[in-house]
Amino acid sequence: LQKLLILLQVTASVAVGKTLLILFPNAMKRYILKQGEKSRMNQNPKFSYENWGPTFFSFKYLLFVLKVKWKRLEDDAYEGNPAPNTPVVTLNGEVCQLLDFMQDNRPLILNFGSCT
């Protein structure tokens, strides 16, 4: 149900954004540039608006936003609920899922630290 609601929300916002982009291209360009300032996308002089601006409200944009939002649904951990199965990277660079390390009924213990 949550994924369906996210799909409807993102699809509606992309449809509205695409429509506004067609009807008011200059105003939408200013809006997109302002969004670029927030994410620091436009601080690189070799990466101009023409490189990334037109991708806003495209089909690829829709798919990317859906993927990110759906993935974030799995990020929340609540006491008494199953652990989120987030992607992790092993020491030798292999990408796998956290729960791949579960063995039988043994608890999975995560130890966070850093080395410098």
Side-chain angles (χ1 to χ4, degrees):
L1 183 60
Q2 286 178 321
K3 283 188 175 184
L4 179 62
L5 291 174
I6 290 172
L7 172 66
L8 292 174
Q9 176 197 16
V10 172
T11 303
S13 68
V14 168
V16 168
K18 190 67 160 180
T19 303
L20 291 174
L21 193 58
I22 292 168
L23 296 175
F24 308 103
N26 292 331
M28 288 303 288
K29 180 177 180 178
R30 286 192 305 272
Y31 170 76
I32 291 170
L33 285 171
K34 188 168 279 203
Q35 296 302 313
E37 288 174 13
K38 290 180 184 177
S39 64
R40 298 187 185 119
M41 287 177 74
N42 56 355
Q43 289 184 353
N44 184 347
K46 294 181 182 178
F47 195 53
S48 68
Y49 169 81
E50 286 72 25
N51 294 346
W52 58 270
T55 65
F56 270 64
F57 310 117
S58 67
F59 185 69
K60 282 186 177 184
Y61 173 86
L62 170 74
L63 294 178
F64 176 76
V65 172
L66 284 175
K67 180 181 174 183
V68 169
K69 287 187 173 270
W70 285 346
K71 196 69 177 155
R72 286 188 182 159
L73 287 175
E74 302 170 5
D75 289 347
D76 294 332
Y78 300 101
E79 186 176 343
N81 291 334
N85 195 16
T86 58
V88 293
V89 180
T90 63
L91 292 175
N92 53 354
E94 180 186 347
V95 178
C96 52
Q97 298 297 116
L98 179 65
L99 298 181
D100 292 344
F101 295 97
M102 292 288 297
Q103 295 177 2
D104 300 323
N105 274 341
R106 296 174 54 193
L108 177 62
I109 298 173
L110 303 176
N111 185 8
F112 296 94
S114 64
C115 36
T116 54

